[in-house]
């Protein structure tokens, strides 16, 4: 990263329960994109991973229900306290790496339809439970039961990353934009007559000086102001998503840096022929630590 | 601008789904789609005039058929009795009863005796009702005796008037395990749903002029000219007769009887029909047109030539005919020649007419039309044009087969009696009821079984041929692959398999006459193109007789001369359903047609709305003129707006040709237009109508979509739990399309979702979307995009394992010798646990053999793992036997993988080539990532602009939360779709044209161009790699050739054929060639003797005392020094031995 003068800055424009809108400035495009990618796929959350069916006489098949359950967001504020299953010492699952949730519902009355929602999921860990927008939220519909239908199952929720499966991604979408006025001319607008008329400016355009008509094109300019709009699924607070993603990036950089230094020492001081770490294994191990 | 009429109706649908109606169907339009099948079946037992039963009942088809069959007569040859032939036994069938489907009589447990279709489907049996026949007979003139005979079980059409769920409401239908909007129209045979195909046949009772070169091959002096008429009896069976023109001006009458063709001079027929004079015949043909020397000459010659027969009176002609046809007609001994002649006329000549005078007039008309054709006065009629076509309806065909089988049965009894009289004259006693019963019992009487055979195989086994051009392919299975495919089975209409073999393509052409009746878009490409058509969604096929008894009187009041004998020159004939009823001048005919039409539309003078008024005006060498009225069933009709009264008029395919029907508003010409289309989409079939914005697409793309819509993995049925189909595809995550036409709602397609609304970006990204491949968003896929399931069924019938007649020896269950591993999958009853996962080779079910005491485990076979979804225990009909049959349904999960096929609704199919993680996908400024990426190259040559419009509409619909109406022909040059949806997009803050800047997921850099991105409804097609992939390293080989087997099922290889070999040769890669053709195929080593150069002579020596080592010695040279080992393909060795067997020596030069 090429940092001159002031380092990267984050200015939060808007923040609420499941959304953060911020501007990252004084950063390189690669950093900005890395942050975006990390938020989507490398911030760990907890999601249902294994479902053990005891009884399922509903209209939905086992595997389909399991899929639906997996996509239910769970509060994962304390995700850092959990281990990845691959790192855990237990054989199958334990309280250090997983949370058990149970679901039990039955419809016994004629003419009634029981709606089984995520509210019916009973978590063994009060901190890890299905996300609700407020106390009136009825939860996410899982299945509807008719008379005589029953469902009884145990879910094992585990820690995971968005890159393993989308259910572990803490965000639903990450809006990302730079250069709203197209000053850098990265994009050539397709127009019929007039670009200004046909292309509506985004709201981020208000945060930058509109280019003057006689302004010369600066072909050396680089983007350095990035507008993010992060919308989460509710499992982790949006500001935490950002900071956790930054942590992930830092962690990665640390590993890379360490590996580079080791490589340097090997090049300068290491004895020829001496078995050393070739500098590439290290990050892979570190990646393992991150749950690959 | 299109009005915003469509809505999602989510709440309404939910309400209906929770509280199914007790009264009406939610989608009445859907119910009408199967009417051609249903109502025609109903007509077997009840024929009605007009749409409702209140219009008055007339006898059903089967009753009319019995009348036509008549009596069969046998003599016992005993002295005395009638005319020296002995006692005369005449017998006939008086009544046919078909009962409602019910459980077997042997069943003593059921309280409710009715049987419902879902039970038949689940138990894989037939849905049939008892067929009873009342056989009557009398000996001489004695008292009539009757006997009620059971003729097996007749298949019953679901929802017909014989079906137990005929008038069920949605709620009742659900209670008996049916779809809530069940449409019926099919039979259930062995649990399969079978439909009798609609077939195109020649228009009934209308004379067609034809020129066929093959006519000239009939004999010397025959010419290609002829005319023919397909006469239909009141019982809806038909007989086609024709006239052939001979080069000397004579005319031959052609008819067929029991698949044999006969030609008789037409004058013989005419003179047999009525007592007439040559003068009268001359006048009837010429109609005062004495200046027409072409006709006068020929008629005169014909009359002169007939003198050679020296037949002067009607009696003489009849006797002559009767004498010649007595054997063919198979008439009783006591019938006189004259009566045989009369019988022939009644059975064969213009059978749609009852009176001989009418037949006479019609024949005269035919002769005149034939002469007009020969002289070039009129053009030949095109039999491929829907103008001269009608529909052969399933129910009518069913009735015809039933009629024929009944007649066959009667004839069988007659033959059996005759044979018995011949063999045992002493014991034959017609007065003894028991004797007769014994004889009748010998004749196979299971007509129900024959009907089932017809439905199960589609083969028509018939002694008369039933006036059909084909003997097989009458029925199809109504596959519930998805709802669209299921629907279109009922709407498809075939030209006949005879035409499929024809080399000429004229029959396949889309003719302008088909406008509005047959869908121009919905026909498959390939072999059946143009032969397999689909009815337009508004087209109706009539199934009832319109009431027209009063019509002649009405016509007379309009000035039509009902005096059919002496018309004035230039007058046109007026025909009603192939009966000549009068004459009038062309001017008057036009006025009559106009007047009649006005009356029929406005309902005056009881002129039925379904009357077809085909006025063919006189023209210069055009169609033969006349006023042709049709009121018969089986015609195609469609609604159009009658402008003069602004009311609905039903228009038939014959009259439409001569009508002025404007399509759009601006095409209405006040001077000429009398009618206007209600909507231009009326010409499209149901499936073609569901293609959004199809008017923007290049036409073949719409055809492709009609095919692909039917191959989509969708929602086949709502009552999936009750289905036992062999294979069922189901999309678990279906959605209602945002962009859909209005008809989507009226046909209730929302109940059967067929795809997903996908965010589609048109961009060339990473190269994985080249050549029609498409990239899926992995995260989208993980969230359930396109997730599907396949249900496969397996039937285990223990009766198959034992021999017939053997006592039950196998029982489901586990014995003591069951391996432990089996217990993991199977319960103690020998059946698998519900929900358990089975791999290839896992136990599927087990049964115990009584005799050996051993447990036999049946294994699950399949390349894919399956979950046990349902296990059905299928009992016997009477419910009195042990369960010997189970039906196991497996659920195979099919989440989309690379290689699966997808398509939009615009004939744009593609194969998933890569699933990119969502971080690598491009995104828009708002963070939207596409579910699907397709390549821009998919568009320029295919010109599916409709897909672009759908993308725009879908995007703005998603942004505003509204349904977008995509009915075609809503936009025009002044109000373009691009503007309409562009404005909506602009309102939502998006680019007017649907483009958006996007960023590369990999670098984060803004892409150089803006990308067209929007929401398009995507279908997942049923072609999946899991069903198709074929790989092999080593595996089974052919026993004889040692070469790899072929076929995916047998783990075989893919043939490396001649052309592949050629290409390797051309490349000069001989090592690769050897690798493919020998090393990886049938590589062997063999011994060859260099001296005698034979491959067959070397043989291993026996182990002797001298040496324990075997050597290979040449048996001819008796030495081993020249024997060498070479590598050859195994087939070569095989060839050598085969040649040896033919005494051919193979000489091998080995260096």
């Amino acid at each position: 990263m090429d940092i001159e003068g002031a380092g990267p800055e984050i200015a939060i424009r808007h923040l609420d329960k499941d959304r953060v809108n911020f501007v990252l400035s004084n950063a390189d495009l690669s950093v900005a994109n890395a942050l975006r990618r990390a938020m989507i796929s490398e911030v760990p959350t907890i999601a249902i991973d294994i479902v053990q069916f005891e009884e399922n006489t509903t209209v939905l098949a086992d595997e389909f229900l399991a899929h639906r359950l997996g996509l239910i967001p769970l509060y994962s504020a304390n995700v850092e306290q959990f281990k990845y299953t691959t790192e855990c010492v237990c054989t199958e699952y334990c309280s250090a790496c997983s949370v058990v949730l149970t679901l039990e519902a039955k419809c016994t009355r004629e003419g009634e339809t029981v709606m089984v929602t995520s509210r019916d999921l009973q978590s063994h860990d009060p901190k890890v439970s299905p996300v609700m927008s407020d106390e009136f939220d009825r939860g996410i519909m899982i299945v509807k039961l008719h008379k005589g239908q029953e469902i009884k199952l145990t879910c094992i929720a585990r820690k995971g990353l968005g890159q393993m499966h989308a259910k572990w991604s803490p965000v639903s979408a990450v809006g990302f934009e730079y250069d709203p006025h197209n000053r850098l001319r990265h994009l050539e607008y397709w127009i019929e007559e007039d670009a200004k008329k046909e292309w509506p400016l985004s709201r981020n355009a208000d945060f930058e000086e509109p280019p003057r008509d006689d302004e010369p094109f600066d072909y050396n300019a680089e983007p350095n102001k990035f507008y993010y709009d992060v919308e989460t699924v509710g499992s982790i607070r949006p500001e935490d998503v950002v900071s956790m993603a930054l942590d992930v990036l830092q962690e990665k950089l640390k590993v890379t840096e360490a590996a580079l230094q080791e490589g340097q020492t090997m090049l300068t001081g290491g004895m020829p022929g001496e078995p050393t770490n070739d500098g590439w294994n290290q990050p892979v191990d570190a990646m393992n630590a991150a749950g690959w | 601008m299109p009005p915003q009429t469509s809505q999602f109706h989510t709440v309404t649908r939910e309400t209906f789904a929770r509280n199914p109606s007790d009264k009406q169907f939610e989608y009445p339009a859907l119910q009408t789609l199967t009417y051609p099948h249903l109502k025609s079946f109903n007509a077997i037992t009840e024929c009605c005039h007009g749409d409702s039963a209140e219009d008055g009942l007339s006898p059903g088809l089967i009753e009319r058929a019995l009348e036509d069959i008549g009596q069969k007569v046998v003599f016992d040859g005993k002295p005395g009795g009638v005319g020296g032939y002995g006692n005369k036994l005449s017998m006939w069938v008086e009544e046919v009863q078909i009962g409602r489907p019910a459980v077997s009589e042997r069943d003593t447990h059921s309280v409710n005796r009715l049987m419902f279709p879902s039970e038949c489907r689940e138990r894989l049996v037939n849905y049939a009702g008892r067929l009873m026949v009342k056989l009557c007979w009398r000996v001489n003139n004695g008292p009539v005796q009757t006997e009620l005979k059971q003729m097996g079980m007749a298949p019953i059409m679901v929802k017909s008037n014989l079906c137990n769920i005929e008038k069920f409401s949605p709620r009742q239908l659900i209670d008996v395990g049916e779809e809530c909007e069940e449409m019926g129209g099919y039979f259930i045979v062995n649990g399969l749903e079978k439909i009798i195909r609609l077939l195109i046949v020649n228009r009934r009772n209308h004379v067609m002029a034809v020129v066929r070169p093959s006519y000239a091959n009939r004999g010397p002096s025959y010419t290609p000219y002829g005319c023919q008429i397909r006469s239909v009896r009141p019982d809806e069976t038909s007989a086609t007769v024709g006239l052939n023109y001979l080069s000397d001006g004579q005319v031959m009458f052609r008819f067929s009887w029991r698949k044999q063709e006969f030609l008789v001079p037409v004058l013989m027929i005419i003179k047999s029909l009525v007592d007439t004079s040559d003068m009268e015949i001359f006048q009837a043909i010429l109609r005062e047109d004495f200046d027409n020397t072409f006709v006068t000459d020929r008629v005169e010659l014909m009359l002169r030539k007939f003198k050679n027969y020296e037949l002067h009176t009607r009696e003489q002609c009849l006797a002559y005919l009767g004498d010649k046809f007595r054997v063919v007609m198979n008439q009783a001994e006591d019938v006189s020649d004259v009566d045989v002649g009369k019988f022939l006329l009644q059975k064969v000549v213009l059978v749609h007419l009852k009176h001989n005078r009418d037949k006479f007039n019609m024949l005269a008309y035919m002769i005149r039309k034939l002469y007009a054709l020969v002289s070039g006065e009129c053009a030949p009629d095109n039999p491929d044009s829907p103008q001269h076509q009608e529909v052969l309806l399933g129910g009518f065909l069913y009735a015809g087969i039933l009629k024929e089988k009944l007649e066959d049965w009667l004839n069988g009894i007659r033959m059996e009696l005759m044979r018995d009289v011949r063999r045992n004259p002493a014991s034959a006693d017609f007065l003894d009821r028991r004797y007769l019963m014994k004889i009748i019992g010998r004749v196979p009487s299971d007509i129900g079984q024959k009907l089932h055979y017809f439905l199960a195989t589609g083969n028509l086994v018939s002694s008369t041929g039933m006036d059909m051009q084909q003997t097989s392919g009458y029925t199809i299975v109504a596959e519930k692959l998805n709802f669209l495919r299921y629907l279109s089975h009922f709407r498809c209409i075939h030209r006949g398999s005879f035409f499929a073999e024809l080399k000429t393509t004229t029959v396949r052409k889309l003719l302008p006459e088909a406008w509005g009746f047959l869908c121009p878009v919905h026909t498959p490409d390939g072999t059946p193109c143009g032969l397999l058509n689909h009815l337009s969604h508004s087209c109706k096929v009539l199934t009832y007789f319109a009431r027209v008894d009063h019509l002649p009187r009405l016509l007379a009041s309009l000035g039509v001369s009902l005096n059919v004998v002496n018309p004035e020159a230039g007058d046109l004939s007026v025909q009603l359903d192939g009966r000549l009823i009068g004459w009038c001048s062309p001017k008057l005919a036009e006025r009559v047609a106009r007047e009649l039409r006005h009356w029929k539309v406005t309902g005056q003078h009881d002129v039925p709305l379904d009357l077809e008024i085909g006025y063919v005006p006189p023209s210069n060498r055009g169609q033969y003129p006349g006023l042709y009225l049709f009121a018969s069933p089986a015609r195609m009709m469609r609604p159009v707006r009658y402008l003069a009264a602004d009311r609905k008029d039903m228009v038939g395919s014959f009259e439409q040709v001569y009508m002025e029907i404007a399509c759009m508003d601006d095409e209405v010409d006040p001077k000429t237009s009398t009618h206007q289309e209600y909507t231009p989409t009326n010409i499209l079939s149901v499936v073609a109508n569901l293609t959004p914005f199809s008017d923007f697409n290049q036409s073949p793309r719409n055809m492709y979509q009609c095919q692909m819509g039917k191959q989509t993995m969708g929602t086949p049925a709502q009552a999936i739990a009750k289905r036992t189909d062999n294979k069922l595809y189901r999309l678990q995550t279906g959605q209602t399309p945002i962009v859909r036409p209005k008809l989507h709602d009226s046909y209730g397609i929302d109940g059967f979702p067929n795809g997903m609304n996908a965010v589609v970006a048109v961009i060339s990204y990473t190269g994985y979307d080249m050549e029609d491949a498409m990239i899926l968003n992995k995260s989208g896929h993980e969230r359930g995009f396109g997730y599907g399931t396949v249900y496969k069924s397996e039937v285990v019938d223990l009766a198959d394992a034992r021999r017939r007649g053997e006592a039950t020896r196998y029982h489901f269950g586990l014995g003591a010798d069951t391996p432990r591993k089996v217990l993991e999958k199977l319960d103690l009853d020998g059946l698998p646990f519900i929900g358990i996962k089975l791999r290839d080779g896992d136990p599927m079910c087990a049964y115990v053999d009584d005799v050996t005491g051993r447990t036999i485990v049946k294994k699950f076979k399949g390349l894919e793992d399956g979950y046990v979804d349902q296990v059905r225990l299928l009992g016997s009909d009477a419910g009195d036997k042990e369960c010997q049959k189970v039906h196991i349904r497996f659920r195979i999960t099919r989440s989309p993988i690379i290689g699966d096929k997808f398509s939009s609704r615009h004939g744009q199919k593609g194969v998933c080539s890569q699933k990119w993680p969502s971080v690598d996908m491009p995104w828009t400024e708002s963070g939207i990532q596409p579910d699907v990426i397709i390549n821009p190259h998919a568009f320029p040559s295919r010109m599916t602009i409709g897909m672009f419009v759908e993308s725009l509409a879908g995007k703005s619909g998603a942004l505003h939360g509204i349904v977008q109406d995509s009915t075609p022909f809503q936009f025009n040059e002044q109000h373009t779709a691009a503007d309409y949806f562009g404005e909506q997009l602009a309102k939502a803050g998006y680019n007017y044209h649907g483009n958006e800047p996007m960023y590369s997921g990999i670098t984060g850099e803004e892409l150089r161009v803006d990308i067209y991105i929007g929401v398009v409804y995507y279908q997942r097609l049923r072609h999946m790699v899991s069903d198709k992939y074929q790989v092999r390293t080593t595996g089974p080989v052919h026993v004889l050739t040692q070469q790899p087997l072929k076929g995916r099922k047998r783990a075989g290889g893919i043939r490396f054929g001649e052309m592949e070999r050629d290409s390797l040769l051309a490349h000069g890669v001989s090592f690769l060639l050897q690798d493919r053709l020998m090393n990886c195929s049938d590589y062997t080593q063999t011994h060859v003797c260099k001296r005698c150069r034979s491959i067959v002579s070397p043989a291993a020596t026996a182990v002797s005392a001298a040496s324990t080592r075997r050597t290979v010695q040449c048996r001819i040279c008796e030495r081993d020094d020249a024997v060498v080992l070479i590598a050859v393909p195994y087939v070569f060795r095989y060839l050598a031995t085969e040649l040896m067997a033919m005494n051919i020596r193979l000489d091998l030069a080995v260096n």
Side-chain angles (χ1 to χ4, degrees), chain A residues 29-30 33 36-38 40-41 59-64 67 71 113 115 144 162-167 169 171-180 182 185-192 198-202 227 229 233, chain B residues 14 18 730 732-733 778-784 787 789 791 835 867 869 891-893 918-921 923-929 989-993 995-1010:
Chain A
L29 175 59
S30 56
N33 188 40
R36 183 194 70 91
R37 289 174 66 100
I40 292 174
S41 69
V59 291
L60 298 185
D62 295 354
E63 69 274 5
F64 191 62
H67 178 243
L71 291 176
T113 309
M115 317 259 186
K144 292 182 187 174
Q163 59 186 204
M164 304 178 191
H165 192 284
K167 67 185 173 187
S169 181
V171 296
S172 52
V174 178
F176 177 103
E177 189 186 359
Y178 66 85
D179 188 25
N182 198 24
R185 300 196 196 169
H186 281 189
L187 167 68
E188 204 172 308
Y189 282 125
W190 181 85
I191 50 163
E192 293 225 313
E198 287 167 38
W199 283 94
L201 283 174
S202 78
Y227 305 91
D229 186 7
V233 295
Chain B
E14 167 93 7
R18 284 217 206 161
R730 182 185 185 187
Q732 296 274 21
T733 53
K778 183 159 161 282
S779 303
H781 150 254
E782 282 163 356
R783 291 185 177 108
Y787 183 88
T789 312
Y791 294 93
Y867 296 89
D869 194 53
R891 197 175 62 239
I892 295 158
T893 60
S918 69
V919 283
D920 291 336
M921 293 291 266
W923 77 91
T924 69
E925 284 164 1
S926 51
I928 296 290
Q929 288 171 322
Y990 280 77
N991 173 258
Y992 193 84
H993 303 291
N995 291 15
E996 278 183 66
M998 288 188 93
Y999 296 78
S1000 160
I1002 294 149
T1003 65
E1005 202 173 343
E1006 202 166 9
L1007 299 174
R1008 288 291 300 276
V1009 289
D1010 42 286

Side-chain angles (χ1 to χ4, degrees), chain B residues 635-768:
Chain B
R635 285 175 298 125
M636 293 183 277
M637 294 204 92
R638 66 196 197 92
V640 288
R641 185 190 289 128
Y642 178 61
L643 289 173
D646 193 21
R647 280 166 90 156
K648 183 177 88 169
D649 187 7
M650 293 301 285
V651 169
S653 56
F654 187 93
E655 57 188 355
Q656 175 175 279
V657 179
Y658 292 97
M659 285 167 66
E660 293 290 341
I661 307 173
C663 187
M664 309 298 272
D665 288 336
D666 53 344
E667 289 166 13
V668 177
D669 178 359
K671 276 189 217 121
T672 53
S673 304
T674 59
H675 291 72
Q676 193 190 355
E677 299 287 345
Y678 275 108
T679 149
T681 52
N682 267 2
I683 68 161
L684 301 174
S685 70
V686 180
V687 175
N689 255 306
L690 293 178
T691 309
F693 303 113
S694 55
D695 52 331
F696 288 82
N697 287 335
Q698 188 205 8
S699 65
R701 293 289 142 190
N702 291 331
M703 286 175 64
Y704 297 154
Q705 164 53 22
C706 285
Q707 286 316 298
M708 281 190 286
K710 295 194 286 179
Q711 296 174 11
T712 303
M713 215 176 176
T715 315
Q718 290 176 343
I720 279 190
K722 300 278 178 184
R723 304 294 311 183
T724 52
D725 309 50
N726 278 329
K727 220 172 185 191
L728 213 59
Y729 293 86
R730 182 185 185 187
L731 183 76
Q732 296 274 21
T733 53
Q735 295 176 342
T736 179
I738 297 173
V739 184
R740 76 263 192 103
K742 279 185 219 102
L743 278 175
H744 181 97
D745 287 335
S746 38
Y747 286 118
I749 310 293
D750 260 346
F752 306 89
N754 232 9
M756 306 127 294
N757 295 298
V759 177
V760 176
V762 182
I763 168 179
S764 175
Y765 194 71
T766 67
Y768 272 98

Side-chain angles (χ1 to χ4, degrees), chain B residues 681-887:
Chain B
T681 52
N682 267 2
I683 68 161
L684 301 174
S685 70
V686 180
V687 175
N689 255 306
L690 293 178
T691 309
F693 303 113
S694 55
D695 52 331
F696 288 82
N697 287 335
Q698 188 205 8
S699 65
R701 293 289 142 190
N702 291 331
M703 286 175 64
Y704 297 154
Q705 164 53 22
C706 285
Q707 286 316 298
M708 281 190 286
K710 295 194 286 179
Q711 296 174 11
T712 303
M713 215 176 176
T715 315
Q718 290 176 343
I720 279 190
K722 300 278 178 184
R723 304 294 311 183
T724 52
D725 309 50
N726 278 329
K727 220 172 185 191
L728 213 59
Y729 293 86
R730 182 185 185 187
L731 183 76
Q732 296 274 21
T733 53
Q735 295 176 342
T736 179
I738 297 173
V739 184
R740 76 263 192 103
K742 279 185 219 102
L743 278 175
H744 181 97
D745 287 335
S746 38
Y747 286 118
I749 310 293
D750 260 346
F752 306 89
N754 232 9
M756 306 127 294
N757 295 298
V759 177
V760 176
V762 182
I763 168 179
S764 175
Y765 194 71
T766 67
Y768 272 98
D769 56 355
M770 281 192 291
E771 293 283 339
D772 273 345
M774 50 176 275
I775 297 168
L776 282 188
N777 186 327
K778 183 159 161 282
S779 303
H781 150 254
E782 282 163 356
R783 291 185 177 108
F785 180 83
Y787 183 88
T789 312
V790 176
Y791 294 93
K792 274 186 190 163
S793 293
E794 195 100 30
V795 179
V796 182
D797 191 354
L798 298 188
D800 291 345
R802 71 188 147 97
R803 262 174 266 127
R804 269 181 85 89
E806 207 178 36
T808 315
R809 66 183 277 196
Y810 301 112
H811 312 277
F812 285 109
L814 297 178
D817 59 335
T818 316
R820 280 192 76 83
K821 269 196 82 179
V822 171
L823 288 167
E824 287 168 19
K825 305 284 183 188
L826 303 186
D827 209 344
L828 287 175
D829 56 7
L831 302 172
F833 296 105
I834 303 290
I836 206 153
K837 185 176 185 176
L838 294 186
R839 289 219 160 78
D840 190 35
D842 278 353
M844 180 172 71
C845 73
Y847 49 94
V848 181
D849 184 347
D850 257 357
V851 181
T852 60
R854 290 234 293 273
T855 310
I856 300 153
V857 178
K858 267 212 134 183
K859 283 182 179 156
F860 174 71
K861 279 187 198 112
L863 295 170
E864 292 169 286
D865 302 345
Y867 296 89
V868 177
D869 194 53
Q870 289 179 328
V871 177
R872 272 193 185 79
L873 310 181
L874 308 180
S876 64
D877 281 340
D880 52 358
K881 290 203 191 84
E882 186 191 323
C883 172
Q884 288 285 287
K885 199 171 174 183
V886 291
H887 176 274

